[in-house]
Amino acid sequence: MNDPKNPDPGDKHIDASDLALIDVTPEQMLKFIKIREGVAKAIANLKRLTPEQIDRAGLNAGDVQRALDIADEHRQLDAMVPAAEKLAEMLIETRAARGHDLAMLLGEIASQARRRGQRDPKGPEILGPLEDLFAYQYGPAQKSAATRAKSSSPAEQNPPSQSTG
């Protein structure tokens, strides 16, 4: 089993509980400064600094440590994002596939019940309890047919006679 704190794409368990995750708006995202190529060298440079070098350069040691902590967190996020994206993709695709399977089964069940109800002398007793299923399954087609009937012009319903003049 893979480590949920260090997931691989395709893993179904991701543990980001030790990360302080935030939620921002798309407008805020547009304002963020992006890190560029070379950031790893810059972070490595900060890691190599001794306390004396930090003091001599006039740097705030707390800021240096905070930058290193954020860089570690950023590295963790970099490792988790591909696995989280793949998990989200798999969840969405699985939901779509299950929805498809469900729609197909509901259609088949409605068809079976409708055929039985049409052949059986006690059809209303068979069909009555399935009223909501039939409304779901056949409602869009009935609505479409009603819309087509309503939108057809009177000229189409009563075509003019052709005259030979």
Side-chain angles (χ1 to χ4, degrees), residues 1 7-8 18 22 42 45 47 61 66 69 73 85-86 88 92-93 96 131 143-144 165:
M1 180 173 153
D8 292 323
D18 58 340
I22 60 172
N45 188 206
K47 284 183 180 181
R66 185 164 176 257
D69 292 343
E73 185 178 15
E85 287 174 340
K86 184 64 177 177
I92 291 166
E93 291 169 352
E131 182 178 335
K143 185 177 179 181
S144 175

Side-chain angles (χ1 to χ4, degrees), residues 33-162:
I33 299 170
K34 312 296 188 272
I35 58 174
R36 299 181 312 276
E37 189 175 328
V39 70
K41 285 184 177 182
I43 296 302
N45 188 206
L46 289 181
K47 284 183 180 181
R48 286 191 306 267
L49 292 177
T50 65
E52 295 80 31
Q53 290 171 324
I54 292 171
D55 187 45
R56 194 166 182 201
L59 303 176
N60 181 320
D63 286 347
V64 171
Q65 187 55 53
R66 185 164 176 257
L68 294 175
D69 292 343
I70 291 172
D72 286 342
E73 185 178 15
H74 194 270
R75 182 192 45 75
Q76 278 183 284
L77 290 163
D78 276 347
M80 285 194 160
V81 166
E85 287 174 340
K86 184 64 177 177
L87 179 58
E89 175 189 324
M90 290 168 44
L91 289 169
I92 291 166
E93 291 169 352
T94 301
R95 180 180 62 184
R98 294 302 178 264
H100 170 78
D101 294 344
L102 180 58
M104 296 294 290
L105 281 170
L106 290 176
E108 182 58 32
I109 291 167
S111 294
Q112 289 172 6
R114 196 165 158 184
R115 286 191 300 269
R116 174 62 63 96
Q118 290 171 345
R119 288 192 317 257
D120 195 293
K122 296 184 179 182
E125 291 176 20
I126 293 170
L127 301 177
L130 298 170
E131 182 178 335
D132 291 337
L133 172 65
F134 294 140
Y136 169 80
Q137 188 63 33
Y138 302 119
Q142 292 170 346
K143 185 177 179 181
S144 175
T147 301
R148 278 194 308 271
K150 196 185 297 183
S151 67
S152 65
S153 67
E156 290 175 357
Q157 293 173 357
N158 299 319
S161 59
Q162 293 181 348

